[in-house]
Amino acid sequence: MKAAFYERNQAIRIGEAERGAPGAGEIEIEVAYCGICGTDVGIYHGKMDWRVTASQIMGHEMSGVVGSVGEGVTGFAAGDRVTVMPLDPCGECPTCRAGYDHICENLKFLGIDTPGAFQERWIVPAHTVRRLPEDLPLSRAALIEPLAVACHDVRLAELAPNDLAVVLGGGPIGTLIALVARQAGARVIVSEINPYREQHLEALGLEAVDPRAVDLPALVEESSEGAGADVVFEATGHPSAAEMMTRLPKARGLIVAVGIFAKPPEIDLFQFFWRELRLCGARVYENRDFDQAIELAASGDLPLDRLISDIYSLDELKKGLDLMSTGGDVMKILVQCGDRA
Ligand SMILES: [Zn+2]
Ligand SMILES: [Zn+2]
């Protein structure tokens, strides 16, 4: 069977992989679609070589159909339409025992620490497999994993109806946060510097501004009768957003840190003191966020299909990674990995 291997910085090899059989407690999935994540782009550029060993198969935002199940697996059978919650925690460390196994100290993230879904068939632990509702298209189902990230971020923000939420960054995750926050009843402003993404956000009915052209703190003040934003989501990982995020919340307002910073950014702690701001980290998702994402995707209430910019074949994975690296006119690219669609 065919697979895509990360070999080294910007080198992807399409080649043959041996088709294994699912062991005890494992499920083999015929992969339909797998989305290209920002993390995959980082791996592709060698930024995670400390964690990812070549040759590695990437990919964790997927949908597919069960091919076969290993010994002792119950509740799934060949032909079931599924997605994967790609977290494999140890279950034993203090963080797991405290009930936060999604940020387990020894967490294996499938597709980063183990082989991923950019291959025709993927074998995963059965506990990571989630069944899909019948009428949910497999292409849209490949967005469930990033949508679950947004569900987690918004849940931790405890948004109330009519709250003002500002999202810094309108890439796939920022856009999904904005859509889920709006669904929760919040008013949303998205800050984004890429004109294509700004237009895309507006086409989805979201208020999008370029913080270099618009005085964002003034706009937020104006939109909140002078109070400030109830919640600010930082979804860029960029130092300029770390600078901006402390200027936007209301007194006792909340900042949710979603973006990944390569280097510690400069942050104005004085604002935390002066306005009694709160800061909350948000990483991946918990089971209930994943369940909510599946429900939301199936409901059709969010314009998720419009986030799919293009669908490539597995042979075109490198082209997709290159396009996403430019930060150009693109949101989410799906890769069709097998015959299932
Ligand atoms: Zn991802
Ligand atoms: Zn653990």
Side-chain angles (χ1 to χ4, degrees):
M1 66 167 190
K2 198 187 264 190
F5 299 91
Y6 164 74
E7 295 295 353
R8 61 187 176 280
N9 190 352
Q10 295 176 67
I12 297 289
R13 177 175 59 86
I14 306 294
E16 281 294 309
E18 197 164 328
R19 184 184 159 189
E26 291 182 330
I27 293 180
E28 179 207 45
I29 303 171
E30 296 176 33
V31 181
Y33 298 96
C34 184
I36 300 178
C37 174
T39 307
D40 300 323
V41 178
I43 294 171
Y44 173 61
H45 285 275
K47 288 181 187 156
M48 290 174 74
D49 282 356
W50 56 274
R51 181 168 165 192
V52 174
T53 0
S55 309
Q56 171 70 301
I57 302 171
M58 307 186 288
H60 59 267
E61 303 182 356
M62 61 78 68
S63 62
V65 177
V66 171
S68 57
V69 302
E71 212 189 297
V73 174
T74 54
F76 288 97
D80 287 349
R81 300 159 77 258
V82 294
T83 185
V84 166
M85 177 167 146
L87 308 182
D88 193 10
C90 77
E92 285 162 13
C93 71
T95 305
C96 279
R97 277 188 274 120
Y100 310 123
D101 64 359
H102 66 298
I103 49 172
C104 162
E105 289 159 44
N106 310 303
L107 185 70
K108 276 194 222 144
F109 195 104
L110 310 190
I112 298 175
D113 306 305
T114 69
F118 288 130
Q119 53 179 330
E120 288 181 83
R121 286 164 187 265
W122 192 29
I123 294 172
V124 296
H127 73 81
T128 65
V129 180
R130 300 287 180 275
R131 192 183 300 280
L132 296 173
E134 267 318 311
D135 46 358
L136 174 54
L138 287 172
S139 55
R140 194 191 304 157
L143 297 176
I144 287 171
E145 194 270 350
L147 179 60
V149 172
C151 289
H152 184 62
D153 302 342
V154 170
R155 180 166 65 80
L156 294 187
E158 297 180 346
L159 282 172
N162 214 36
D163 270 1
L164 179 63
V166 179
V167 183
L168 302 177
I173 292 293
T175 301
L176 288 167
I177 292 171
L179 292 173
V180 174
R182 180 172 70 180
Q183 184 73 11
R187 297 174 292 136
V188 183
I189 298 172
V190 186
S191 167
E192 171 58 50
I193 59 171
N194 175 324
Y196 168 83
R197 287 182 166 173
E198 207 183 328
Q199 259 174 28
H200 186 266
L201 290 157
E202 273 164 7
L204 299 175
L206 293 159
E207 183 175 359
V209 297
D210 181 342
R212 299 168 306 184
V214 170
D215 184 344
L216 185 56
L219 174 66
V220 168
E221 204 183 306
E222 202 181 294
S223 309
S224 58
E225 291 167 349
D230 295 280
V231 178
V232 175
F233 296 92
E234 198 306 292
T236 71
H238 195 275
S240 64
E243 193 271 326
M244 177 64 81
M245 69 184 188
T246 55
R247 299 169 60 191
L248 305 175
K250 68 179 184 183
R252 290 246 172 142
L254 178 68
I255 298 169
V256 182
V258 180
I260 301 171
F261 286 85
K263 267 194 267 168
E266 215 161 90
I267 293 175
D268 185 0
L269 278 182
F270 176 78
Q271 297 301 329
F272 282 90
F273 161 73
W274 196 247
R275 298 176 66 74
E276 294 197 349
L277 302 183
R278 294 169 301 139
L279 178 65
C280 165
R283 181 178 156 206
V284 290
Y285 28 71
E286 295 168 74
N287 273 313
R288 54 180 145 168
D289 306 311
F290 218 86
D291 293 344
Q292 189 197 353
I294 293 173
E295 242 171 69
L296 263 178
S299 74
D301 289 344
L302 302 183
L304 296 174
D305 296 335
R306 292 169 65 186
L307 267 67
I308 301 170
S309 304
D310 217 336
I311 298 178
Y312 287 180
S313 69
L314 192 54
D315 292 314
E316 296 173 305
L317 175 60
K318 183 178 163 54
K319 184 175 128 190
L321 288 161
D322 285 331
L323 178 61
M324 289 204 43
S325 308
T326 65
D329 296 355
V330 62
M331 284 299 281
K332 191 54 93 180
I333 293 172
L334 302 188
V335 175
Q336 196 178 338
C337 296
D339 307 330
R340 296 284 187 171

